[in-house]
Amino acid sequence: MTSSNTEDYDFLVLSNRLPVDRVVAADGSASWQHSPGGLVTALEPVMRAADGAWVGWAGQADLHVEPFESDGIQIVPVALSADEVENYYEGFSNDTLWPLYHDVIAPPSYHREWWESYVKVNRRFAEAAVAIAAEGAIVWVQDYQLQLVPRMLREARPDLTIGFFNHIPFPPYGIFSQLPWRTQIIEGVLGADVIGFQRVADAANFSRAVRRLLGFVTKNPYIEVPETIGGEQSRRVLAKSFPISIDSRSFEQLAREPAVQARAQEIREGLGNPKTIMLGVDRLDYTKGIGHRLKAYGELLTEGRIQVEDVTLVQVANPSRERVQAYMQLRDEIELTVGRINGDFATMSHTAISYHHHGYPREEMVALYLAADVMLVTALRDGMNLVAKEYVATRFDESGVLVLSEFTGASDELKRSLRINPHDIEGLKDAIVRAIDMPREEQTRRMRSMRKRVFVNDVERWSLDFLTALRSSRELPAELAEDPLGELEWTVDRVRRP
Ligand code: GDG
């Protein structure tokens, strides 16, 4: 790895996917379209102010593109071969780490050639960053696809300040320990100065894995890392929760637009004006509990507790990872169930489930949120679940009920939702009926309190908190970790740990 710099950036973000998509027009000409995710919105101002660049993959195999600028952000593409897409991305990232980190809901596959590809691609990302990072730059590495990058960066460039944020859960040690390369992964992440997780429990799981595998001393929220991991000296690494959020104001703004409200009305009418519209919005992923949701809804119809004329379920199932076997199978299962329920209960004028296997523009999503009286988030495990927060942000008239799985990061914050255990189908059914029947005053009380939370803790706050922690990590006084409050927090956290 070389550390000679040609271009110098003071702030780098590394993520598997770039925040832009390559679009090819009918005439064959290609252009780049900004994908307006929350992460981009949060980091755009920082990027502009701090002379930043974004390093990532453009989403297509064998695409070699020179760095370019898109909407004021410097984009630095990392190329992946078709083999690497198969082994590093679809294989190790999506079929090993993803199921392992989500409580082994699906069985993870362990293949040595996938791992080798993961190491190789992580090295390529690290090299790309090293080549363009200014002396003393801040590098923020995103997510589980790049867990080896922090250590690689530190070894090549001890001058860098390195952050790592894990968007998905970090599993309990009993599960994590299955991974044949568990030690390498932990050591890779520990190259960072600050390690961020969605939930307190994720950070605790990580620290426990560090203690069990490496025997390092941890004193919540710090981990004492000796010089053997990527450095000339020992370091105190901060590992704690920084719950991610959304650009709440922009969601509310969109919801207040007359055209979007008119569209929400049109959606209601299109569905035959049922008394209650329930909504699910998910990537078609086995972690999202779509099957559990359908089961509960189907049983309520069978038992006559709800009628198809009164209650319609709209399910947006965004296509995802369509080349991975488990996802193909999931799609078949879900679509079979949807077909059965519709076959059994739909009438000429009312569908039971309005099912959509495609993505929609942001405006349409917001119109759907506005049209929905009840939002169903029934994930079996989810790092955060931004959909839950988006629903809350759009409900400016304070109506609507959020049914929310306790296995999402969002449930730590949205305590006034109707929290459910999606495995408990009877409990889920009761919660759905309760949501349908909830008086308006109770909806308002709950929604108002959740909205406060989502507007105070927005994505800007998230990135500021993380970057502040990152900046101060380098000049952290040793005494800070030894203060009595730190001790107390540590104890409380140990007691709370499930
Ligand atoms: C991972 C973690 C964590 C969905 N369909 C459409 C669409 N979406 C948007 C939603 C939301 C986003 O995609 C999905 O975010 P989630 O948080 O719900 O879930 P994951 O994709 O699994 O995200 C998760 C997240 O990272 C962030 O850290 O919360 O736990 O798994 O913003 O609105 N957007 C549009 N059309 C669609 O059809 N425009």
Side-chain angles (χ1 to χ4, degrees), residues 335-356:
E335 294 184 355
L336 185 74
T337 310
V338 168
R340 283 213 175 126
I341 294 177
N342 276 338
D344 286 345
F345 297 102
T347 64
M348 289 302 168
S349 51
H350 289 93
T351 1
I353 304 169
S354 173
Y355 174 80
H356 310 266

Side-chain angles (χ1 to χ4, degrees), residues 98 167-168 198 244 281 283 288 316 318 358-362 365 369 382-387 390:
W98 181 268
H167 290 254
I168 67 173
Q198 302 277 30
I244 200 168
V281 171
R283 270 187 314 97
K288 303 291 184 182
V316 175
N318 215 341
H358 39 242
Y360 285 107
R362 169 80 67 97
M365 300 295 297
Y369 290 145
D382 213 333
M384 177 54 61
N385 195 288
L386 297 180
V387 166
E390 290 167 4

Side-chain angles (χ1 to χ4, degrees), residues 28-261:
S29 65
S31 62
W32 294 91
Q33 225 171 52
H34 221 59
S35 49
L39 196 59
V40 197
T41 319
L43 298 180
E44 234 165 18
V46 195
M47 283 272 179
R48 291 209 181 90
D51 186 18
W54 200 305
V55 181
W57 174 48
Q60 283 169 40
D62 293 311
L63 187 65
H64 296 266
V65 189
E66 288 303 306
F68 62 96
E69 204 193 291
S70 166
D71 279 354
I73 298 185
Q74 190 63 31
I75 301 285
V76 181
V78 172
L80 298 184
S81 69
D83 259 11
E84 286 162 352
V85 173
E86 204 179 314
N87 295 318
Y88 145 80
Y89 179 61
E90 291 169 348
F92 200 77
S93 298
N94 290 342
D95 211 8
T96 303
L97 293 174
W98 181 268
L100 183 76
Y101 281 32
H102 287 88
D103 283 358
V104 296
I105 296 166
S109 309
Y110 303 113
H111 297 294
R112 281 163 285 185
E113 60 276 27
W114 291 2
W115 163 251
E116 280 155 23
S117 184
Y118 184 81
V119 176
K120 196 167 149 205
V121 171
N122 270 248
R123 189 161 295 285
R124 188 168 313 141
F125 270 81
E127 279 169 359
V130 161
I132 58 170
E135 177 74 21
I138 289 183
V139 184
W140 191 359
V141 183
Q142 308 287 329
D143 230 356
Y144 64 103
Q145 300 95 346
L146 302 177
Q147 292 175 98
L148 304 177
V149 171
R151 181 180 186 180
M152 290 171 173
L153 287 175
R154 180 160 305 281
E155 281 172 356
R157 290 283 300 274
D159 59 295
L160 300 176
T161 300
I162 305 163
F164 176 81
F165 185 77
N166 198 49
H167 290 254
I168 67 173
F170 195 89
Y173 184 70
I175 290 178
F176 181 70
S177 57
Q178 281 187 16
L179 187 67
W181 309 278
R182 58 196 187 187
T183 308
Q184 292 95 312
I185 291 280
I186 291 285
E187 289 179 342
V189 174
L190 282 175
D193 296 289
V194 174
I195 305 168
F197 296 93
Q198 302 277 30
R199 308 179 86 165
V200 172
D202 297 320
N205 287 342
F206 180 79
S207 294
R208 175 139 190 269
V210 170
R211 286 195 298 276
R212 291 291 300 267
L213 290 168
L214 302 170
F216 297 169
V217 173
T218 66
K219 199 168 184 189
N220 187 43
Y222 297 101
I223 301 174
E224 304 293 341
V225 178
E227 60 282 1
T228 44
I229 308 268
E232 290 144 10
Q233 53 195 23
S234 62
R235 295 171 296 125
R236 175 167 292 165
V237 170
L238 176 67
K240 71 183 270 283
S241 70
F242 293 87
I244 200 168
S245 193
I246 56 165
D247 184 3
S248 315
R249 269 167 304 177
S250 83
F251 274 93
E252 171 161 347
Q253 248 169 30
L254 213 48
R256 285 184 182 275
E257 277 184 18
V260 175
Q261 288 174 37

